[in-house]
């Protein structure tokens, strides 16, 4: 009797274990998306990559177009109900002359979507508000959605400097820190398009070393479309690459494992990684990404001065930074802002101060922001008007 009991127990334990695993598998697939975890199989992600790359290679009408050197850019001549671009890819309906008219101070605004402000009309974006508030000033909005500081600097040297600006506003948003260490944005977030970009690294002496766009040619992009798994070759160039997502095909079959992996990655990036970008207070000045981002911004300022213009750093806060500042805290990018101010070679304007001083709409701070996180028309008005007041003495000089 004592021998038969364990034999009857083993099948029950096995069945219970299988049931538990099945419940864990189903539960992981149901719960993970609700807490912001993407647990799709790698095969699905690679298939999506191929479809999106096909659209990028064949589309000739959308705002974003491929660029061999920069990765992508805004399409010259693009127009829709909100946004218009001239033949040089500068936002607005007017044609920009190679040189400014006599008596006009030309300003270039460079940066990412927080400079471009793609969720509002041309006239409502803060560079246009700034221009309207400063007589005798012309502001060229050259912001491009998704750009890092690396791309914005390269774009200025190639496309912005020939327009002979006297001032260059170097826009910085918190998301740019993440972009500094990547060449394939989908490694950082699978919600990004399968675009590739150049980047910089820091060598042993702390100097910037350039890494060109790793998929610059059409043939290289077609390979990412036709053989999407070849994207693994970009892993060594990208600080966000996860080998256990792209190189563990057997474990990837389990939804439970994918959920555990996604959760572990999230926790590791936020709390455990010795090189993590953030802590509870914001940017970590000890992280390699921070040092690289600071070096890039300083190099951008140097490139502006080398071309006869004056650089101005413009810190553009997201809603979290504004809400935190209005409660007496500091924006997450404060360590970077303060490092630029200590360097002292260029003015640093923190637009958080504008939102802290302004009276919010009756519906609160969120009314200053749009669904995708950029500024609304009222938020752009706050930013552009405040920047005009800050820049007026510099323009006068």
């Amino acid at each position: 009797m004592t021998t038969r009991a364990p034999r009857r127990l083993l099948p029950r334990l096995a069945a219970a274990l299988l049931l538990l695993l099945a419940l864990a598998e189903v539960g992981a697939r149901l719960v993970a998306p609700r807490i912001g975890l993407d647990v799709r199989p790698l095969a699905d992600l690679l298939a999506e990559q191929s479809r999106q790359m096909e659209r990028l290679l064949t589309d000739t009408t959308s705002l974003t177009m491929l660029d061999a050197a920069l990765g992508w850019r805004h399409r010259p001549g693009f127009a829709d109900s909100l946004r218009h671009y001239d033949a040089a890819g500068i936002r607005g309906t007017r044609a920009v002359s190679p040189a400014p008219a006599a008596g006009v101070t030309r300003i270039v605004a460079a940066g990412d979507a927080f400079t471009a402000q793609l969720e509002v009309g041309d006239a409502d974006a803060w560079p246009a508000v700034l221009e309207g508030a400063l007589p005798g000033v012309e502001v060229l909005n050259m912001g491009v959605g998704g750009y890092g500081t690396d791309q914005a600097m390269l774009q200025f040297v190639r496309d912005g400097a020939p327009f002979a600006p006297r001032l260059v506003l170097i826009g910085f948003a918190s998301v740019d820190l993440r972009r500094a260490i990547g060449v394939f944005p989908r490694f950082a977030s699978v919600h990004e398009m399968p675009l590739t970009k150049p980047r910089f690294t820091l060598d042993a002496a702390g100097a910037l070393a350039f890494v060109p766009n790793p998929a610059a040619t059409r043939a290289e992009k077609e390979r990412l479309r036709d053989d999407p798994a070849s994207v693994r070759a970009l892993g060594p160039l990208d600080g966000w690459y996860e080998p256990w997502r792209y190189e563990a095909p057997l474990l990837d079959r389990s939804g439970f494992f994918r959920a555990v992996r996604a959760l572990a990655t999230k926790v590791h990036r936020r709390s455990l990684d010795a090189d993590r970008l953030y802590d509870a207070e914001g940017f970590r000045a000890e992280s390699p990404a921070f040092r690289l981002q600071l070096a890039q911004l300083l190099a951008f300022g140097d490139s502006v001065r080398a071309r006869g213009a004056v650089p101005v750093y413009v810190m553009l806060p997201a809603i979290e930074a504004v809400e935190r500042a209005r409660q007496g805290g500091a924006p997450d990018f404060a360590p970077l802002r303060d490092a630029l101010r200590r360097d002292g070679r260029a003015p640093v304007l923190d637009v958080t101060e504008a939102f802290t001083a302004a009276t919010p709409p009756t519906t609160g701070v969120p009314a200053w922001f749009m669904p995708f996180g950029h500024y609304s028309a009222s938020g752009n008005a706050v930013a552009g008007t405040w920047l005009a007041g800050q820049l007026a003495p510099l323009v006068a000089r």
Side-chain angles (χ1 to χ4, degrees):
M1 184 173 180
T2 56
T3 304
R4 288 195 298 270
R7 290 179 180 175
R8 289 196 299 268
L9 186 60
L10 287 176
R12 294 175 182 174
L13 289 174
L17 180 60
L18 288 174
L19 178 61
L20 183 62
L21 290 174
L23 290 174
E25 188 77 10
V26 173
R29 298 186 185 206
L30 292 175
V31 174
R34 297 183 181 182
I35 59 174
L37 298 179
D38 191 309
V39 295
R40 288 177 292 169
L42 178 61
D44 291 356
L45 297 178
L46 295 180
E48 181 181 68
Q49 173 185 311
S50 293
R51 291 192 300 271
Q52 292 179 342
M53 183 57 77
E54 172 66 14
R55 286 200 296 271
L56 288 168
L57 286 167
T58 58
D59 183 15
T60 59
T61 60
S62 65
L63 175 60
T64 299
M65 64 176 290
L66 297 171
D67 184 288
L70 303 176
W72 64 91
R73 61 178 297 196
H74 286 164
R75 189 180 303 277
F78 174 86
D80 64 11
S81 60
L82 283 178
R83 302 158 297 187
H84 301 79
Y85 284 81
D86 72 1
I90 298 170
R91 187 170 185 188
T93 55
R94 69 187 172 202
V96 179
S97 61
V104 172
T105 299
R106 176 169 284 175
I107 298 175
V108 160
D112 66 2
F114 274 84
T115 297
Q117 293 298 331
L118 302 175
E119 295 185 77
V120 297
D122 298 329
D124 289 326
W126 66 258
V129 176
L130 169 63
E131 177 178 295
L134 284 179
V137 164
E138 180 183 45
V139 182
L140 309 188
N141 185 346
M142 301 189 73
V144 175
Y147 266 18
T149 301
D150 38 24
Q151 293 163 289
M153 176 167 63
L154 296 169
Q155 180 209 30
F156 165 73
V157 171
R158 188 189 74 179
D159 301 335
F163 284 98
R166 297 299 297 152
L167 293 175
V168 177
L169 307 183
I170 302 173
F172 177 84
S174 295
V175 69
D176 297 343
L177 181 67
R178 184 186 80 185
R179 294 167 178 162
I181 59 174
V183 298
F184 188 64
R186 273 178 72 86
F187 285 153
S189 170
V190 294
H191 301 295
E192 298 281 0
M193 294 291 288
L195 298 160
T196 58
K197 62 181 282 290
R199 64 165 293 191
F200 290 88
T201 60
L202 289 178
D203 63 21
L208 288 173
F210 181 58
V211 179
N213 179 8
T217 68
R218 185 177 182 87
E220 290 166 326
K221 293 178 173 64
E222 289 175 344
R223 185 184 180 195
L224 292 176
R225 177 196 64 191
D226 300 335
D227 178 19
S230 66
V231 76
R232 297 185 183 108
L234 305 182
L237 303 175
D238 197 296
W240 296 108
Y241 181 66
E242 300 168 8
W244 66 340
R245 182 166 209 167
Y246 286 86
E247 301 173 21
L250 293 178
L251 292 174
D252 191 69
R253 295 178 181 177
S254 166
F256 177 69
F257 170 76
R258 295 196 302 270
V260 170
R261 177 184 62 193
L263 182 60
T265 298
K266 195 170 186 177
V267 171
H268 179 72
R269 287 179 175 179
R270 289 188 176 183
S271 305
L272 303 178
D273 188 354
D275 294 335
R276 63 189 183 277
L277 278 59
Y278 314 99
D279 58 21
E281 300 303 316
F283 289 8
R284 290 183 69 244
E286 303 83 6
S287 73
F290 182 94
R291 295 193 294 272
L292 175 60
Q293 179 64 73
L294 177 59
Q296 286 183 162
L297 285 166
L298 294 176
F300 199 158
D302 291 341
S303 70
V304 170
R305 281 186 288 269
R307 288 159 180 81
V310 176
V312 179
Y313 299 110
V314 179
M315 316 301 285
L316 297 164
I319 186 171
E320 296 84 3
V322 171
E323 290 178 332
R324 186 172 178 175
R326 289 183 65 86
Q327 295 171 4
D332 54 354
F333 53 67
L336 184 64
R337 176 201 64 196
D338 296 344
L340 291 170
R341 285 176 173 169
R342 285 193 297 271
D343 175 78
R345 283 179 284 174
V348 181
L349 303 179
D350 183 357
V351 178
T352 313
E353 296 175 21
F355 287 111
T356 303
T359 301
T362 55
T363 53
V365 168
W368 281 329
F369 294 85
M370 296 293 284
F372 288 100
H374 308 116
Y375 305 152
S376 65
S378 62
N380 274 282
V382 170
T385 303
W386 182 83
L387 283 169
Q390 300 296 310
L391 290 169
L394 188 58
V395 170
R397 290 200 297 270

